[in-house]
Amino acid sequence: TLTAIGEAKLRQLNMSDPSRLEAIREQLDATSGLPARDAKLLLASESGFDKRLRGAASSRDDVILLTVEDILSAVRRARVR
């Protein structure tokens, strides 16, 4: 089972970004032999997320928005263990 599909960009992300990942998820689910239908969509951005994307992500459990600080905090926590 594929658990996540994601990408990181320097630019501000918008609604086209999860749409692109949804298409990839659908294609993988249909052709790869790996169940991907429930894979989370991870979007990381140095420049943030536009208002529409933030609103859409807040009402969806399959879209996760990550800032640079989110990623660095996770790395710091992993080092402490």
Side-chain angles (χ1 to χ4, degrees), residues 7-60:
E7 64 182 16
K9 303 286 184 190
L10 297 174
R11 65 173 172 79
Q12 184 180 63
L13 300 184
N14 58 53
M15 290 300 295
S16 67
D17 296 293
S19 296
R20 183 177 48 260
L21 292 181
E22 285 171 326
I24 292 168
R25 177 173 61 189
E26 289 171 10
Q27 174 124 14
L28 286 169
D29 194 55
T31 63
S32 72
L34 280 174
R37 176 184 9 239
D38 297 325
K40 303 287 187 193
L41 305 178
L42 307 178
L43 296 158
S45 172
E46 180 184 44
S47 300
F49 312 95
D50 77 8
K51 186 177 182 176
R52 283 187 61 219
L53 177 55
R54 287 193 312 271
S58 71
S59 65
R60 293 178 58 172

Side-chain angles (χ1 to χ4, degrees), residues 66 68-81:
L66 300 165
V68 171
E69 185 54 41
D70 294 331
I71 295 167
L72 292 175
S73 292
V75 169
R76 287 184 200 109
R77 284 191 307 270
R79 286 185 180 167
V80 171
R81 293 181 187 169

